[in-house]
Each structure stands twice: as C-alpha cells, then as structure tokens.
Amino acid sequence: MSIMEKNLLDILRIGIFYDGYYFYKVSNYYKYEHERKSRISISGLHDFIISEVSSLTKNDKRQCRIIDAHYFKGRSSAKELGEKVQSERVFEDILMRENIVSHYLPLRFGDNNSVQEKGIDVWLALEAYELAIYKHFDILVLVAGDGDYVPLVRKLHTVGTQVMLLFWDFSYHNENGDVVETKASRQLQEEVFFAVPMHQRIDQDDTEYTKELFVPEKIYDKTPVVSNYKSEDILEEKEELTSTIFSINPNGFGFIKDEDRNNIFFHYSRVTNCDFPDLKFGMNVKYYVEEDEDRSKRDGAPRYRAIKVTVVN
C-alpha cells in the first residue's frame, strides 16, 4: 500500500535527520540576520513537518507520526569548550525533550587552522539508510543542503522510503561587509520526492502556522556558540585585554569599551562562553585584538576588531 493510500488505522512513519552544522547556520541566520530575530523552534519545526506530510500525502495528521529523529554535528572537546559546556548541555536538553538522538564527532583543525567537520555527512548517510530499512520509514525528512547526500536519497528510494528535503537559501553581510551565501544543492532538490524551500514559506506565509516555527521572544534555544577565532597557539603572542561591554546591537554585534581604539567592534561569533542575547551593557570581558584587514583597506586607515571575547565575573 502506498503512502497515498493508507487507511485511518495505518500509521505513516516519519524519520527526521538533521545535518547539525547546516541547521546551526540557519538558526543563527534567523536569530541575528533576519528581521524575525528568533531561532528556529525544533518542536515547531516538527509540527510543521507533520502538517506538511499530511498535506502532501493526503493523509490525516493523526496518521503522520515521527517515530525517529537524529541530529549529527561536529563538536569541540570539553577542554576546548571550557565554559561553553553549559551552553552545549542546554541545547542537548532541548534535543532530548524532542526525542532526538544526538551524534557527535570531534571537530578538527584543517588548513590555515580552520575548524572542520570530518565524517559527519558519511555517518548521517549510513545511519539514515540502515534505520530506514530497520524501522521501515515511509518518509525520511532531511534537514540539509549538501549535494553529498544525493547518493543517500537514491539508495533510500530503492528501499521504498520517500525523501522530503527541508532547505534554506539565504545571504547576508558578515562582520567584514562580505556577502555570505548559503544555498542548497540543486541536484539534491531534484532527487527528492518533496523539496520544501523553507525560506520562501517563512517569508511569504506570515500566519500563526509559520510563526510557530520560531522560539518565543523571551524563551529562546541557547544553541551552542561556535566561535570562528583561530586556534589558541595563534593567540599566544597577542596581549589579552580586559574591559567592559559598551553597547549591544540585536543584529548580532556590539562594541567593547576601548579608549585606545575609540571602542572596538565584535561579532556574535567571537563570544566564547556566553550566548549573545545574554550579553549586557557593563559586563566585564577579556578579549584579544586583531586588525580587520578588509576594513583597513577599504577605509585607508587601520581598523580593529575583538576576537575570543570571554565574559568574566
């Protein structure tokens, strides 16, 4: 019996698989760059998925059941996280409340000391394929955008599991004024049975149904902060400074009181041990300073920014 023909006694079995880093970027975009200024709600997203599956398959919502959900992401070691361990635990608690199984692999330093995920997409694909066979998913929902998942989608179709893709395309200007773009693979969109462009649905459908996709204003998910600063050994030769928060902008940046540099800019991604919305005027912080080469070239004079911003008692 196809998923379009189930009677009321049958359950349409749904499995959800998150590419955690992709979802992290999406959540940060809506929190700091988009006009909504709020994170994606996982419980709201699951409700959306059930309603979407019900609509697309013409099955009653009571038949559409999420029987399994998994979240895959690279994670820093406890030593590297320091005080961010609490933030990690808060987000893990959110995942557990929604019955999502977490899968982590250690982040590794790649070329130019950049932090990279290794093997997460392969692990997600293997688990998704194995569990689709074992748990007989009718629909597997993939929250991702990487074209590397195309072979997984093709394999799932051969075992009778249809794939729904939730994806976002968006762009914004980062702290350097450069355009940062996130786009889902066109081939991946074409391979799945159902491709849902979430960015369009959110911007075009301003109803309570869509608003439930976001965390209420004062009850946000403390998604772990993943800083982009370079490794510790790069900072050893720099002087660690101490000052206070001078101002906070809800768009995801702020300034630290620094008389030598006429106050100094910092981006939310440079905060190491506190979620950005928790920062307040006057908080004591330690930080390092580096030259913002792009702004210096653009303005014709030295420009600086704070990195590795750490809140202290």
Side-chain angles (χ1 to χ4, degrees):
M1 181 180 294
S2 76
I3 64 173
M4 305 293 288
E5 301 171 338
K6 288 183 176 290
N7 61 52
L8 197 55
L9 296 177
D10 294 320
I11 291 176
L12 195 152
R13 303 164 69 85
I14 303 170
I16 305 176
F17 287 78
Y18 287 86
D19 180 324
Y21 183 61
Y22 179 79
F23 183 72
Y24 166 80
K25 289 195 297 182
V26 169
S27 184
N28 269 355
Y29 168 71
Y30 282 101
K31 178 61 183 176
Y32 298 119
E33 312 295 345
H34 193 272
E35 61 184 11
R36 289 185 179 270
K37 296 295 181 286
S38 183
R39 293 197 181 280
I40 297 290
S41 163
I42 291 179
S43 61
L45 187 60
H46 286 194
D47 289 341
F48 174 89
I49 288 170
I50 289 174
S51 296
E52 195 70 9
V53 169
S54 170
S55 175
L56 290 170
T57 63
K58 312 301 182 186
N59 283 282
D60 191 284
K61 287 176 65 173
R62 292 172 296 174
Q63 296 172 264
C64 303
R65 303 290 181 86
I66 298 171
I67 63 167
D68 216 10
H70 295 260
Y71 178 90
F72 294 79
K73 192 173 184 296
R75 186 169 71 175
S76 301
S77 68
K79 181 179 179 180
E80 292 168 328
L81 279 171
E83 295 182 21
K84 288 193 294 180
V85 169
Q86 181 180 0
S87 183
E88 289 274 8
R89 286 294 304 273
V90 169
F91 187 62
E92 288 172 359
D93 289 345
I94 293 169
L95 295 177
M96 285 190 292
R97 282 203 303 270
E98 300 304 322
N99 297 315
I100 298 175
V101 180
S102 301
H103 305 263
Y104 296 108
L105 283 178
L107 290 172
R108 302 185 184 281
F109 286 104
D111 297 336
N112 301 319
N113 290 298
S114 60
V115 178
Q116 299 178 350
E117 286 188 326
K118 293 290 186 180
I120 282 291
D121 53 348
V122 175
W123 192 10
L124 186 156
L126 291 172
E127 288 287 329
Y129 183 66
E130 181 179 20
L131 290 171
I133 295 173
Y134 177 68
K135 297 194 174 184
H136 306 291
F137 297 143
D138 294 298
I139 291 182
L140 186 143
V141 179
L142 190 58
V143 182
D146 198 324
D148 288 346
Y149 294 118
V150 167
L152 166 65
V153 173
R154 291 173 177 170
K155 281 287 188 182
L156 289 171
H157 290 167
T158 66
V159 297
T161 297
Q162 297 184 5
V163 180
M164 171 184 285
L165 175 69
L166 301 191
F167 71 95
W168 284 261
D169 287 346
F170 56 86
S171 64
Y172 60 92
H173 290 85
N174 66 9
E175 57 180 310
N176 297 325
D178 300 323
V179 175
V180 177
E181 207 169 45
T182 294
K183 284 189 176 294
S185 162
R186 180 64 58 184
Q187 186 180 9
L188 182 61
Q189 296 176 46
E190 293 172 350
E191 288 286 342
V192 300
F193 269 84
F194 313 107
V196 184
M198 296 298 294
H199 53 289
Q200 293 180 8
R201 298 292 290 274
I202 288 169
D203 290 342
Q204 295 174 6
D205 183 13
D206 190 22
T207 63
E208 289 301 319
Y209 174 64
T210 305
K211 289 176 181 177
E212 290 177 1
L213 282 169
F214 294 91
V215 177
E217 183 177 353
K218 295 184 179 180
I219 311 175
Y220 54 83
D221 297 0
K222 291 191 174 183
T223 304
V225 176
V226 178
S227 296
N228 295 322
Y229 61 82
K230 298 175 182 178
S231 61
E232 294 294 335
D233 56 337
I234 299 298
L235 297 173
E236 283 182 357
E237 298 179 359
K238 294 180 180 292
E239 179 186 1
E240 187 176 38
L241 304 175
T242 302
S243 187
T244 58
I245 299 291
F246 179 77
S247 65
I248 297 292
N249 189 297
N251 289 332
F253 65 89
F255 290 87
I256 295 171
K257 187 175 181 180
D258 190 318
E259 294 180 358
D260 292 338
R261 301 171 184 82
N262 191 29
N263 298 329
I264 188 164
F265 172 90
F266 72 95
H267 191 253
Y268 71 86
S269 62
R270 306 292 175 155
V271 181
T272 69
N273 67 337
C274 181
D275 199 54
F276 185 80
D278 290 338
L279 296 178
K280 293 180 175 59
F281 170 80
M283 275 186 168
N284 296 318
V285 292
K286 292 182 179 180
Y287 61 101
Y288 293 85
V289 173
E290 70 175 11
E291 184 178 359
D292 186 338
E293 296 179 359
D294 290 334
R295 288 178 59 211
S296 294
K297 291 178 181 178
R298 186 168 59 245
D299 298 345
R303 295 289 182 262
Y304 300 92
R305 61 189 174 198
I307 58 175
K308 202 191 176 204
V309 179
T310 304
V311 176
V312 296
N313 295 327

